[in-house]
Amino acid sequence: QVQLVESGGGLVQPGGSLRLSCVASGTRFSGNDLGWYRQAPGQQRVLAATITSGGTTNYVDSVKGRFTISRDNAKNTVYLQMNSLKPEDTAVYYCNFLFINQAWGQGTQVTVSS
C-alpha cells in the first residue's frame, strides 16, 4: 500500500521558517518528478514547488526566493524549506508525484500568524 506522509508543519510568526518533510512508503520517489502543493482555507489545492527526477526545481511566483524544494532519494523523502513566511502562506501542505495518480496524504498544517 502506497502512502505519503507529510510532517513539519506548525504555528510560526511572520518572517519565521519551517522545514516540511514528506516520506513515501510502498513506492519510490527516485526517477519521478515531485511537487509540494498547498490548500489555503476555502480554496483549491494548488502547486507551489516542483522538482524533477534530475533535481531541476520550479516555484510559483508567490514563493520564489523564499521556498526551496529538495529531495533525498536514498531516504525516499522530499523536503520544502520555507523561509520568510507570510500569513498568506497559511495552508495545508501536501506532497505528491506530478505525473502519477497517487492518493493524497493527510498533509501538514502551516499557520503563519503573530
Side-chain angles (χ1 to χ4, degrees):
Q1 183 180 357
V2 177
Q3 279 191 314
L4 302 174
V5 180
E6 300 91 349
S7 62
L11 173 63
V12 62
Q13 291 187 341
S17 298
L18 285 173
R19 188 193 195 204
L20 307 184
S21 300
C22 173
V23 179
S25 61
T27 187
R28 301 298 301 176
F29 276 159
S30 62
N32 289 290
D33 298 347
L34 305 170
W36 277 99
Y37 300 75
R38 62 184 184 178
Q39 186 168 19
Q43 298 185 21
Q44 291 189 334
R45 184 157 38 206
V46 296
L47 188 60
T50 64
I51 185 166
T52 68
S53 58
T56 300
T57 59
N58 272 293
Y59 304 90
V60 295
D61 286 345
S62 58
V63 308
K64 202 171 292 184
R66 300 187 298 119
F67 289 12
T68 303
I69 186 172
S70 61
R71 63 192 296 163
D72 185 336
N73 290 334
K75 294 182 178 180
N76 219 23
T77 302
V78 60
Y79 303 98
L80 187 67
Q81 177 66 44
M82 306 187 297
N83 299 328
S84 302
L85 282 161
K86 304 176 180 180
E88 51 264 41
D89 295 319
T90 295
V92 180
Y93 284 72
Y94 304 85
C95 73
N96 213 324
F97 297 90
L98 290 187
F99 304 115
I100 294 176
N101 185 19
Q102 172 57 47
W104 297 96
Q106 83 289 348
T108 186
Q109 175 71 49
V110 172
T111 302
V112 185
S113 175
S114 54

